[in-house]
Amino acid sequence: MCEANVYVMNKNVEELLLERVDTIIPKDREIYLENIFGERKTIEARIKELHLVDHKIILERFEKG
Amino acid sequence: MCEANVYVMNKNVEELLLERVDTIIPKDREIYLENIFGERKTIEARIKELHLVDHKIILERFEKG
């Protein structure tokens, strides 16, 4: 299976947000995630990088204005 | 291998942009893509949806102001 683990950058450390994610839909300032187990999360962040061969997606939160 | 094919929406049709993409890095209004063969493309667009189990990433161009 080719799902990926989604991490959020926190002070230069990658924190695991959700494992084995299949679907990702960015909308405005939010990102909707759904994994192969049907778990869903929405987070206010943007996509920083995808590395699919490594099964890794990195998000980052917006800087506080 | 778990790379994905990247499509761009064009008038409600998904057009293949680059096959077997590993790395995707959005930056400002552009998205940098690199596939497992070392091919690289940069496109002015945003990520619309990812469906990793289907190996499918869909981009959309910005609407012209």
Side-chain angles (χ1 to χ4, degrees):
Chain A
M1 296 287 276
C2 284
E3 63 279 357
N5 296 326
V6 174
Y7 300 83
V8 183
M9 290 303 293
N10 187 7
K11 294 176 186 170
N12 296 321
V13 178
E14 297 166 2
E15 293 184 347
L16 182 63
L17 176 69
L18 190 61
E19 286 182 295
R20 305 193 71 176
V21 173
D22 171 30
T23 298
I24 297 182
I25 303 176
K27 188 167 185 195
D28 299 327
R29 287 167 63 91
E30 290 188 335
I31 299 177
Y32 168 83
L33 310 168
E34 186 170 333
N35 72 8
I36 59 166
F37 308 114
E39 294 176 89
R40 297 167 187 184
K41 286 193 180 179
T42 300
I43 180 173
E44 190 169 336
R46 65 182 151 217
I47 294 170
K48 182 172 187 282
E49 297 176 18
L50 278 71
H51 300 285
L52 299 177
V53 173
D54 290 338
H55 299 253
K56 192 168 187 176
I57 293 175
I58 303 170
L59 309 182
E60 62 184 354
R61 297 180 191 277
F62 296 98
E63 289 169 24
K64 287 176 183 167
Chain B
M1 295 289 276
C2 283
E3 63 280 358
N5 296 325
V6 174
Y7 300 83
V8 183
M9 290 304 293
N10 187 5
K11 295 176 185 169
N12 297 320
V13 177
E14 297 166 1
E15 293 183 347
L16 183 63
L17 176 69
L18 191 60
E19 286 181 296
R20 305 193 70 176
V21 172
D22 170 29
T23 298
I24 298 181
I25 302 176
K27 189 169 183 195
D28 299 327
R29 287 168 62 91
E30 290 188 335
I31 298 176
Y32 168 84
L33 310 167
E34 186 170 334
N35 72 8
I36 59 167
F37 309 114
E39 294 177 89
R40 296 166 188 186
K41 286 193 179 180
T42 300
I43 180 174
E44 191 169 336
R46 65 182 151 216
I47 294 171
K48 182 172 186 283
E49 295 174 18
L50 280 71
H51 300 285
L52 298 178
V53 174
D54 290 339
H55 299 251
K56 192 168 188 175
I57 293 175
I58 304 170
L59 308 182
E60 62 184 355
R61 295 180 193 276
F62 297 97
E63 290 168 26
K64 287 177 184 168

